Amino acid sequence: GAVVSQHPSRVICKSGTSVKIECRSLDFQATTMFWYRQFPKQSLMLMATSNEGSKATYEQGVEKDKFLINHASLTLSTLTVTSAHPEDSSFYICSARWGEKLFFGSGTQLSVL
Amino acid sequence: AQSVTQLGSHVSVSEGALVLLRCNYSSSVPPYLFWYVQYPNQGLQLLLKYTTGATLVKGINGFEAEFKKSETSFHLTKPSAHMSDAAEYFCAVTLYNFNKFYFGSGTKLNVKP
């Protein structure tokens, strides 16, 4: 089956630093990738939709200057959390669309100290 | 706009008992519906999906769901629960273009021995 690789799985950083999370589709080309944020015991909140070669579309309330998304190729999308604050601590999950199916990465637990 | 409501944030069943996880959707146009399972600190795995055709869909691990338009429901069932079914389950909805996926708040399934 299709595989989406997300790295790192866990990252701890200091407040004010930037963190980059990578999402790769390993065996298929994903024209669309999605980034979600999941708070403890809550559902996935769609942050942005990323299409290869174009600017990401952010959901209402998501700061595009804080959460930078780059979809440079059909197999790679990155999310950079800039000037991270403790309230940015969360579980971030990427997903890649292939036809009618959505495949998920294993998630990144971000902890900002 | 589309939305999903999952009734019951926690469901507990005995091993071997019927599993029923409820999902109701709201959509102004025919929806595509999905059930995903999430194990701790992991991404989501697709259990099953409904797009068109037969309203009773079978998925992996013995799960199935029935699309009932009149009730705007897509409940997930399994005749006999197994300990390995303990996880969190999310219902999701999208439209024919798969541009966005919206998730319910999730239901945590606990299976008692």
Side-chain angles (χ1 to χ4, degrees), chain A residues 39-105:
Chain A
F39 293 100
K41 301 181 181 180
Q42 294 187 30
S43 187
L44 286 75
M45 182 192 78
L46 179 63
M47 298 176 66
T49 302
S50 166
N51 291 296
E52 186 266 337
S54 62
K55 290 184 179 180
T57 303
Y58 290 81
E59 294 298 299
Q60 191 172 9
V62 178
E63 299 177 59
K64 61 180 181 180
D65 294 330
K66 180 164 189 62
F67 298 100
L68 299 179
I69 292 172
N70 186 346
H71 195 157
S73 75
L74 287 172
T75 59
L76 174 64
S77 177
T78 60
L79 167 67
T80 301
V81 182
T82 62
S83 187
H85 290 153
E87 56 265 32
D88 298 326
S89 298
S90 190
F91 193 60
Y92 293 86
I93 303 177
C94 73
S95 65
R97 192 186 110 196
W98 185 36
E100 296 183 347
K101 294 184 178 179
L102 201 61
F103 296 94
F104 288 81

Side-chain angles (χ1 to χ4, degrees), chain A residues 10 32 34 36 38 41-44 46 49 59 91 93 97 99-107 109, chain B residues 32 34 36 38 41-46 49 51 88 90 97-106 108:
Chain A
R10 182 178 293 271
T32 305
F34 304 91
Y36 291 87
Q38 186 178 31
K41 301 181 181 180
Q42 294 187 30
S43 187
L44 286 75
L46 179 63
T49 302
E59 294 298 299
F91 193 60
I93 303 177
R97 192 186 110 196
E100 296 183 347
K101 294 184 178 179
L102 201 61
F103 296 94
F104 288 81
S106 54
Q109 182 65 53
Chain B
Y32 289 177
F34 301 76
Y36 287 87
Q38 184 183 32
N41 297 316
Q42 292 188 27
L44 278 69
Q45 300 172 31
L46 179 66
K49 66 181 176 77
T51 53
E88 188 149 21
F90 292 93
N97 55 10
F98 297 88
N99 272 350
K100 293 184 181 182
F101 283 71
Y102 294 98
F103 288 82
S105 54
K108 202 159 194 175

Side-chain angles (χ1 to χ4, degrees), chain B residues 63-107:
Chain B
F63 284 94
E64 61 182 40
E66 186 170 10
F67 170 62
K68 292 187 176 180
K69 184 179 180 180
S70 61
E71 298 177 8
T72 61
S73 69
F74 191 57
H75 301 330
L76 180 71
T77 61
K78 181 173 180 178
S80 177
H82 191 271
M83 295 298 291
S84 60
D85 295 328
E88 188 149 21
Y89 293 80
F90 292 93
C91 184
V93 63
T94 188
L95 297 181
Y96 68 93
N97 55 10
F98 297 88
N99 272 350
K100 293 184 181 182
F101 283 71
Y102 294 98
F103 288 82
S105 54
T107 298

